[in-house]
Amino acid sequence: MGARGELFTTQIYLDNRSYFFNVKENRTGDVFLQIVESKNRDGVEADRHQIAIFAEDMQKFLQGFEKSLDFVEKDRKQRQKAAREKKAEKEAKYGNGKKIYRVKGDKAEKSEKRADDGIKRTGKVIHIVSKKDIDSSDN
């Protein structure tokens, strides 16, 4: 038996996180899996979280884990399918790789068609003019 009751250890390193899978045995002889997440935070001490799963609960844990993995995989495939459909719809609407530009005169024509609704439109920002301002300017 290793230090602190460790029977087996494996590690996975990601960008700013490390995962440790430690199989341990406690003083009473119970075997359990300890999963530790260690996250680096800008040179400060690593933030560590851990969970323990005992041997008798591992099958139920794995069943839940597999269900979660199946959901994630199914969701990923659905998102990819939706993205492909959206891209195909966009290509059907606008053509493949063609960019559509608006002619400057089109904007002026649209503004003439609009009724005076008290909204001053300037670019992306919409300014709402109060009715008092409109009434006072009519006098």
Side-chain angles (χ1 to χ4, degrees):
M1 189 174 349
R4 297 175 296 189
E6 291 180 359
L7 302 174
F8 174 79
T9 299
T10 186
Q11 303 169 357
I12 298 174
Y13 296 104
L14 301 176
D15 291 333
N16 65 341
R17 297 171 191 243
S18 299
Y19 293 94
F20 301 90
F21 297 90
N22 305 318
V23 178
K24 292 186 171 187
E25 183 178 7
N26 63 13
R27 291 182 186 139
T28 60
D30 296 327
V31 176
F32 62 96
L33 171 66
Q34 179 188 45
I35 302 173
V36 179
E37 175 195 37
S38 179
K39 183 168 78 171
N40 295 330
R41 296 186 324 168
D42 301 328
V44 183
E45 269 188 47
D47 192 16
R48 294 176 58 98
H49 301 280
Q50 62 186 10
I51 62 169
I53 300 111
F54 285 91
E56 59 268 8
D57 300 329
M58 282 189 194
Q59 288 302 319
K60 289 180 183 177
F61 177 81
L62 286 175
Q63 288 172 356
F65 191 73
E66 286 175 358
K67 285 181 184 178
S68 298
L69 287 176
D70 290 343
F71 174 80
V72 168
E73 185 65 21
K74 183 179 176 183
D75 184 59
R76 183 184 64 80
K77 287 180 181 179
Q78 286 177 345
R79 288 175 189 259
Q80 285 178 339
K81 182 180 177 183
R84 282 193 305 267
E85 290 172 354
K86 186 176 179 181
K87 184 177 180 182
E89 182 181 309
K90 187 176 179 182
E91 286 177 358
K93 185 175 180 181
Y94 298 113
N96 191 5
K98 294 181 182 177
K99 293 185 179 182
I100 297 177
Y101 296 97
R102 190 169 35 157
V103 178
K104 196 170 188 179
D106 291 347
K107 191 173 185 181
E109 292 172 9
K110 285 183 182 179
S111 64
E112 291 174 3
K113 293 178 185 176
R114 259 191 216 127
D116 186 19
D117 55 0
I119 299 175
K120 180 180 175 184
R121 291 172 175 84
T122 57
K124 292 183 180 179
V125 180
I126 297 175
H127 302 280
I128 299 177
V129 180
S130 70
K131 290 183 180 181
K132 289 181 184 177
D133 293 341
I134 294 172
D135 294 338
S136 63
S137 65
D138 291 339
N139 293 334

